[in-house]
Amino acid sequence: MCVIIHQWKGKRNVTYKEFSNAWSANPHWFGLMTFVDGRVCVDKAMKLQDAWEIYSSYAEEVGWQENMVLHFRMATHWSINRSNTHPFHCGNGKYLVHNGVLGYTSKKPWEEDMSDTRLLAQALEKFDSNPNDNWLDNDVVTDMVHKVCSWGKVVVMDTNGDVWFFGAKGLMSSDGELWASTNAPFSSYSYCSYANEGDLLDEEWFWDDGVYTTYKEYCEEIGIPYNPDEIYY
């Protein structure tokens, strides 16, 4: 599965070790989204060194002032190319990244080489058909997004540079400052769960809901069966 890293505004940067760990596990292109000069900016790279240089440049410019979302792709279907690399525009200046496999695939011959996430992003664009539309304010649409990606995660950056989360619960961190969708970037980590989906991500919201030393401890705390495979969404 792909790896998503969320770097909170005002928090530390990703280290090269964490970055290269994520790349080693997911080497099929890199994508980044952050907020620069009043809009979401996106960049992509095919090679590790290029990807690191892109990240380092944005981290130096805005890393302490704005959210940054990094995506390392592991292609399960469709071509490995720039067109299928996250982030994808998903309506009126918003962009998204995803990890996991969605519940649908391309149907039409001319869509055969479009990834499932790319198709989702194009579908969401249609809900923003007018300049003032924002599907994030539409409960029907956000509920649909959550259900479609219930076995993965979708992270959206809106036109204010804020970050929204949909899908399976849980992120991992080595120190409470940097969060990832899997443990790939970290040599050691804690597991954090949160109760709501489709809400604006807020740092305090994570910590208030509990941070657990291990995923097993988290399962025991809330009374659900322990399945170590579930941490690899």
Side-chain angles (χ1 to χ4, degrees), residues 13-16 19-20 23 30-32 34 43-62 68 70 72:
N13 291 338
V14 181
T15 67
Y16 182 76
F19 194 97
S20 60
W23 179 275
F30 163 80
L32 171 152
T34 189
D43 216 330
K44 304 178 182 183
M46 181 177 67
K47 297 180 180 180
L48 171 58
Q49 191 57 39
D50 293 339
W52 176 249
E53 289 177 2
I54 286 171
Y55 166 73
S56 299
S57 176
Y58 279 106
E60 182 177 354
E61 181 179 2
V62 300
M68 297 181 69
L70 287 58
F72 300 80

Side-chain angles (χ1 to χ4, degrees), residues 121-133:
Q122 288 192 356
L124 291 170
E125 283 183 315
K126 296 178 181 178
F127 291 102
D128 279 3
S129 56
N130 297 312
N132 294 324
D133 289 343

Side-chain angles (χ1 to χ4, degrees), residues 155-179:
V155 178
V156 177
M157 183 170 286
D158 67 18
T159 53
N160 295 313
D162 293 323
V163 177
W164 301 69
F165 170 87
F166 301 87
K169 300 176 182 179
L171 291 175
M172 294 164 204
S173 178
S174 61
D175 57 8
E177 291 207 346
L178 197 70
W179 294 91

Side-chain angles (χ1 to χ4, degrees), residues 90 94-99 101-104 116-117 119-125 127-128 134-156 164-168 197-199:
C90 59
K94 298 182 289 294
Y95 287 81
L96 65 76
V97 298
H98 167 247
N99 83 313
V101 178
L102 298 174
Y104 60 90
D116 51 0
T117 310
L119 286 173
L120 172 63
Q122 288 192 356
L124 291 170
E125 283 183 315
F127 291 102
D128 279 3
N134 182 7
W135 60 261
L136 285 170
D137 295 331
N138 187 323
D139 291 342
V140 173
V141 179
T142 55
D143 185 60
M144 177 273 292
V145 175
H146 171 61
K147 289 178 179 177
V148 166
C149 66
S150 60
W151 289 100
K153 296 177 176 68
V154 166
V155 178
V156 177
W164 301 69
F165 170 87
F166 301 87
E197 298 83 17
D199 283 336

